Amino acid sequence: MSRGPAGYRSPISDGRAHGAATEATRTVQLSRARLRVLSVSVVAGPDAGRAGPALGRQVRVGTSSEAELVLSDRTVSRLHLAVEIDELGHVLLRDLGSKNGVWLFGARVREAELPDGTRVQCGATVLEIRTTEEDVAVERFDGDRLGPLLGTSPAMQRLFARILRVAATHEPVLVTGESGTGKELVARCIHELSSRKERGFVILDGGAISGSLAEMELFGHTRGAFTGAHGERAGAFERAHGGTLFLDEIGELPIELQPRLLRAVEDRTVQRLGDRERRRVDVRLVAATHRRLATMVNAGTFREDLYHRLSVLELELPPLRAREGDVALLAREMLAGIAPGDPALAHTLDEALARRANYPWPGNVRELRNFVTRLAVMGEAPEAPTAAPVAEADLRVHVDLGFHEAKQKLLETFERRYLEHLIDETGGNLSEAARRAGLSRGCLNEVVAKLGLRRR
């Protein structure tokens, strides 16, 4: 299977060993690249001198054994914070819902982009966060397509290589990423490249069913299990027997149901509602979410044991803004599927994309598909939405007022302008706006009501 020092064949390429068709063979190249890596060390506190992994791109800090930097400080939460280098090279800090918070320059922060050498405090511990350039081995996919996925950017090439490794196993997979990045496509890709490809691919959307129905949808029911149950019904696990169950938006499942889900994953058995017997199932679970499950664990809304079981194999999808060169590639592919052989539309698309060269595509691939569809139907593309710059006069300091009054006026101006642009960018979707702002939906609603903002 070896191809020599330049690369190797993914195990999934061996159709005889894994049941995958030989045409599914893909190649992953091993190469060296200069990458920024994190250095997170404890400079003060009970664990002074301790440091995280030497070549980490993401470091979680906490008292849990699942953290990359494990602390003994009792004032630190199980999963307290995470530091990561994103696909654009930014060093990002996130509070994972800790009890005592993360403090930066004397202020408590939920998320922040950090300059090199920043020190932050969590509980009684002070961390120093630095980055270095290292020559590391990087896996890259040799090609621009993997199943239903398409991309030539370094971010997608690394993702393709990871998918090939994951597809060759039978372990649960957790797929994370922003809304619209294509988590369902990744789940389908894993299924199609696995030995289960000839069996069922069953989808259950945890965000689209109520808590009372979730248990029945997952595990099924017997006749007479409840009023209206006139016959037996197999749940999603049984319907996916021998294949793959894709559980979308797993973070929306009620916490009281999560122990049953964990047992089904670990024991490979399920029990229908109203039944006394447990039925054996052979299912590969792929779960997806746009939420931060580690934060939900600290908040007590997601079970820690289930999170640890699912996150052993984790795939994080890059946002479209981090996929350099992929926007035009994807858009042309989409247009060819909607209006093949139309050179005039292809030219219009190229011009429209040129006008949006610096547009961040906050809705990711889903937004791009909607954009291409409108262009194909209407024959022209809408202009990219732009956030009006905040005029200097809007943020002026009113020295004619008292300190506290002037401060309050400045904060209200900032809140109004920030939320106006955020609500515009999310198309009035307050749930998505709350997620991007790092606020609860209730908190955002209160601020919107206070400022008299409307969905525009």
Side-chain angles (χ1 to χ4, degrees):
M1 298 173 74
S2 172
R3 297 188 64 211
Y8 68 91
R9 289 282 184 183
S10 166
I12 198 66
S13 65
D14 191 341
R16 292 170 298 175
H18 297 277
T22 54
E23 59 266 23
T25 301
R26 294 293 185 267
T27 303
V28 174
Q29 298 288 341
L30 290 175
S31 59
R32 309 294 297 184
R34 295 288 293 179
L35 293 178
R36 291 181 72 192
V37 294
L38 287 168
S39 170
V40 182
S41 57
V42 181
V43 295
D47 304 288
R50 189 169 297 180
L55 299 177
R57 294 276 292 178
Q58 174 177 285
V59 178
R60 293 172 299 179
V61 179
T63 57
S64 169
S65 60
E66 294 295 318
E68 284 76 30
L69 177 52
V70 181
L71 303 179
S72 63
D73 185 351
R74 294 184 177 181
T75 60
V76 170
S77 297
R78 291 172 298 179
L79 290 173
H80 198 106
L81 64 86
V83 185
E84 65 178 340
I85 299 177
D86 69 8
E87 294 292 346
L88 298 176
H90 303 141
V91 179
L92 305 178
L93 168 74
R94 293 196 317 273
D95 184 342
L96 298 177
S98 64
K99 180 179 180 181
N100 293 321
V102 179
W103 297 81
L104 175 64
F105 305 128
R108 185 169 183 170
V109 295
R110 287 193 179 93
E111 292 192 14
E113 182 178 340
L114 305 179
D116 198 31
T118 299
R119 292 190 174 190
V120 299
Q121 182 163 357
C122 53
T125 295
V126 178
L127 303 171
E128 184 175 77
I129 301 165
R130 292 189 176 277
T131 62
T132 58
E133 291 261 342
E134 299 288 344
D135 185 26
V136 298
V138 177
E139 292 182 341
R140 294 188 187 277
F141 179 75
D142 184 16
D144 61 0
R145 294 175 186 271
L146 186 64
L149 302 172
L150 176 66
T152 58
S153 63
M156 290 302 289
Q157 297 292 294
R158 289 192 291 270
L159 176 65
F160 290 167
R162 290 176 61 83
I163 288 174
L164 282 170
R165 283 190 174 275
V166 164
T169 75
H170 296 281
E171 293 298 315
V173 183
L174 179 62
V175 183
T176 63
E178 297 179 6
S179 295
T181 48
K183 294 184 282 293
E184 182 179 328
L185 286 182
V186 169
R188 287 187 180 277
C189 187
I190 292 171
H191 175 72
E192 292 173 6
L193 292 173
S194 75
S195 60
R196 300 173 178 267
K197 62 175 294 186
E198 302 300 331
R199 304 301 295 270
F201 179 78
V202 177
I203 302 174
L204 183 64
D205 187 351
I209 55 176
S210 65
S212 59
L213 291 176
E215 185 174 16
M216 181 187 70
E217 292 293 334
L218 275 171
F219 305 115
H221 61 79
T222 61
R223 181 177 181 180
F226 52 86
T227 303
H230 301 302
E232 293 192 352
R233 184 174 187 272
F237 270 94
E238 288 186 69
R239 298 198 305 274
H241 180 71
T244 303
L245 172 59
F246 175 53
L247 186 50
D248 199 8
E249 295 303 344
I250 193 172
E252 308 303 322
L253 288 182
I255 193 167
E256 58 269 16
L257 182 59
Q258 293 173 20
R260 292 197 62 187
L261 177 59
L262 177 63
R263 183 172 182 182
V265 173
E266 293 191 327
D267 295 352
R268 296 181 178 271
T269 62
V270 295
Q271 184 176 3
R272 292 181 179 181
L273 290 176
D275 200 353
R276 294 184 178 181
E277 301 296 325
R278 296 193 67 84
R279 302 165 187 253
R280 184 158 295 279
V281 291
D282 174 22
V283 173
R284 206 276 175 78
L285 178 66
V286 180
T289 181
H290 73 275
R291 304 184 68 177
R292 305 287 186 183
L293 294 189
T295 301
M296 296 179 67
V297 168
N298 282 331
T301 56
F302 200 88
R303 288 182 62 98
E304 184 176 15
D305 48 6
L306 179 58
Y307 169 66
H308 294 330
R309 186 68 183 92
L310 295 176
S311 61
V312 174
L313 298 178
E314 183 173 348
L315 298 173
E316 183 172 5
L317 273 64
L320 192 52
R321 61 183 175 275
R323 297 174 55 178
E324 183 179 357
D326 283 352
V327 171
L329 183 69
L330 288 167
R332 289 167 188 150
E333 176 86 357
M334 294 169 183
L335 185 63
I338 300 171
D342 191 330
L345 270 183
H347 180 69
T348 302
L349 175 64
D350 289 343
E351 289 184 335
L353 292 176
R355 292 195 298 270
R356 291 186 174 220
N358 297 316
Y359 182 60
W361 299 98
N364 294 297
V365 178
R366 182 181 295 123
E367 181 185 2
L368 179 62
R369 181 174 296 279
N370 293 341
F371 165 80
V372 174
T373 302
R374 289 197 301 269
L375 182 142
V377 172
M378 304 302 294
E380 59 182 12
E383 293 299 319
T386 56
V390 178
E392 186 177 347
D394 289 341
L395 296 179
R396 67 181 182 273
V397 176
H398 295 265
V399 293
D400 55 323
L401 302 175
F403 173 80
H404 294 292
E405 189 178 356
K407 178 182 177 182
Q408 184 61 33
K409 191 174 185 66
L410 188 62
L411 286 175
E412 286 183 0
T413 300
F414 163 75
E415 287 179 346
R416 177 179 298 278
R417 297 306 298 271
Y418 175 84
L419 292 176
E420 282 177 348
H421 298 324
L422 183 61
I423 291 171
D424 275 349
E425 276 201 4
T426 57
N429 185 333
L430 294 190
S431 295
E432 176 66 9
R435 185 188 69 79
R436 292 195 201 178
L439 301 172
S440 68
R441 172 68 184 265
C443 179
L444 181 65
N445 281 334
E446 289 179 8
V447 179
V448 168
K450 180 188 73 173
L451 298 175
L453 296 176
R454 296 174 180 270
R455 299 187 188 186
R456 300 195 295 173

